[in-house]
Amino acid sequence: MDDLKKAELQAMQEFLREFPFLVELDHFHFIGLYKRIYKLDMRFPRFPSAEQHYLAIHRGHIRVPVTVERLSFNDAKSFVKSILEALNGQTKDDGTTACLQQGTRDLTAIAFELLSIQQQYRCDVAFNPDITHVEITALRQGKQHMLVLNRTSGQQFKITRHTLPEPAVTESFQRQTTLERHWQIFCDTLDQLEEFYGNLNTIDELCYVVHPTHIDTKTTWRVFKYDRKVFLKVALHPLQPTAVDISFIGPTRMVSGLREQYSEKQDEWDTECNVYTNLLRIFDKMSFPMRPIDPAEAGAEGEDDCGICMGYRDTDNRIPIVSCDNEKCSLIFHVFCLKEWFATQRESKKFFTISIGNCPYCKHKISSSFDDLIAL
């Protein structure tokens, strides 16, 4: 440690000993509760100098002005002493003091709790001056998780936004309660979701996932390539690792064979293995097709381009996944392109959610649930 760092550290230690009610929230950013009435928020970017400082003082929810003449000091220690002298001259013991003290104690307790969360979990914490809105971000799962809360009264909070999959959200998570309780439930739920996220991450890394086009922490399913014309949709329950729902997209005969194979071997599912490994065992495969390392290579040869628009990715970044039942027909189509084609054909029909029409080229039957595929 060089001499400059040692001097800076020594000055910091002396500063905190001089003002024990202050806590360093971040680098040269201090908060504290003075006389259980005033909440101080100070930043000294050039510590121990007071140059370019930031100062905010609140009594309850009311910002307290401080006479400028009293703050003409160059070093942080003298600067804070002048603030305290000014506050001592403003302190009044009236009927509102107890109420203000309680409000300030609530704010301070919450601020310290947020500081503890930030330091322990190495996440980002942001809140407004009266701590009515709190955002805890960059948490776990590749720094993707977040929790947003609004303070309703005192130390009571309500969650307004989160990144958990909805099936994992319990009733207690939605109640109005303390920040500490909300945070405990949130972290406990994340612990329970480790296997769920592990299964999805393995599929994302080792399979050619085509849907969803944007993967987030709330999505509980994946659609990936089984082969050129068949796709698997795997849906997982976040809190029940063995609850796996498999569906198939592709030509009727091919899909029927795979569905029958899955049904016959479903009892062989090994709960000690992850979802990806179990699917390989059930379908007797060494691996599933993987996403090209270079996205530009996907569909580069043209064989997987849509047989209607002749493109690989549509305006929503989706690839062709619908093909006809004619095994000799090699064409495959975007969902939206084929739906628009069916809309122009008189012979096209719809039964409940299933649309039936003819292939634009070989005229063989195509049946598809457009609504379900569009919802992917």
Side-chain angles (χ1 to χ4, degrees), residues 74-290:
N74 291 327
D75 65 287
K77 188 183 294 186
S78 300
F79 178 87
V80 175
K81 285 182 178 179
S82 71
I83 293 173
L84 301 186
E85 289 176 5
L87 294 178
N88 289 336
Q90 293 186 23
T91 304
K92 297 179 181 180
D93 188 14
D94 55 28
T96 63
T97 299
C99 180
L100 290 171
Q101 286 181 341
Q102 181 59 50
T104 307
R105 280 196 293 270
D106 287 341
L107 292 179
T108 304
I110 295 168
F112 280 121
E113 189 169 349
L114 290 170
L115 173 61
S116 174
I117 290 173
Q118 183 182 43
Q119 292 178 338
Q120 183 177 352
Y121 293 89
R122 299 189 179 279
C123 53
D124 297 334
V125 175
F127 50 88
N128 58 355
D130 54 0
I131 318 184
T132 55
H133 181 79
V134 174
E135 295 186 4
I136 305 173
T137 58
L139 177 71
R140 299 220 196 158
Q141 194 63 22
K143 296 288 186 179
Q144 295 184 65
H145 277 293
M146 68 177 297
L147 184 65
V148 180
L149 311 96
N150 284 345
R151 187 162 65 92
T152 54
S153 64
Q155 296 189 39
Q156 297 292 300
F157 283 83
K158 186 174 183 179
I159 293 173
T160 58
R161 194 150 46 101
H162 62 82
T163 49
L164 299 177
E166 291 303 327
V169 177
T170 61
E171 183 181 348
S172 58
F173 188 75
Q174 299 172 327
R175 293 174 185 164
Q176 178 177 301
T177 185
T178 62
L179 174 65
E180 180 183 11
R181 180 59 180 157
H182 277 310
W183 183 248
Q184 180 184 351
I185 295 173
F186 186 70
C187 290
D188 288 347
T189 304
L190 284 178
D191 289 339
Q192 296 176 53
L193 293 175
E194 283 190 7
E195 185 174 351
F196 164 75
Y197 284 126
N199 278 316
L200 290 180
N201 288 341
T202 302
I203 292 173
D204 292 336
E205 292 173 5
L206 301 180
C207 299
Y208 189 168
V209 175
V210 299
H211 292 295
T213 53
H214 173 69
I215 293 173
D216 58 32
T217 57
K218 287 193 168 191
T219 309
T220 61
W221 53 271
R222 298 289 188 269
V223 175
F224 59 90
K225 275 193 172 188
Y226 180 86
D227 59 27
R228 182 175 172 271
K229 299 179 74 173
V230 177
F231 299 81
L232 297 188
K233 179 180 179 181
V234 178
L236 309 179
H237 191 290
L239 300 179
Q240 299 174 22
T242 57
V244 181
D245 183 42
I246 308 291
S247 53
F248 305 86
I249 303 168
T252 303
R253 183 178 295 181
M254 298 174 69
V255 163
S256 296
L258 291 173
R259 189 178 290 117
E260 183 178 343
Q261 184 176 352
Y262 177 70
S263 179
E264 290 175 353
K265 294 189 174 182
Q266 195 170 3
D267 292 339
E268 298 177 16
W269 192 279
D270 187 351
T271 57
E272 297 299 318
C273 297
N274 61 25
V275 171
Y276 175 80
T277 303
N278 274 296
L279 291 177
L280 290 179
R281 292 172 62 250
I282 286 176
F283 295 114
D284 298 321
K285 292 179 74 72
M286 294 294 293
S287 64
F288 294 110
M290 296 183 66

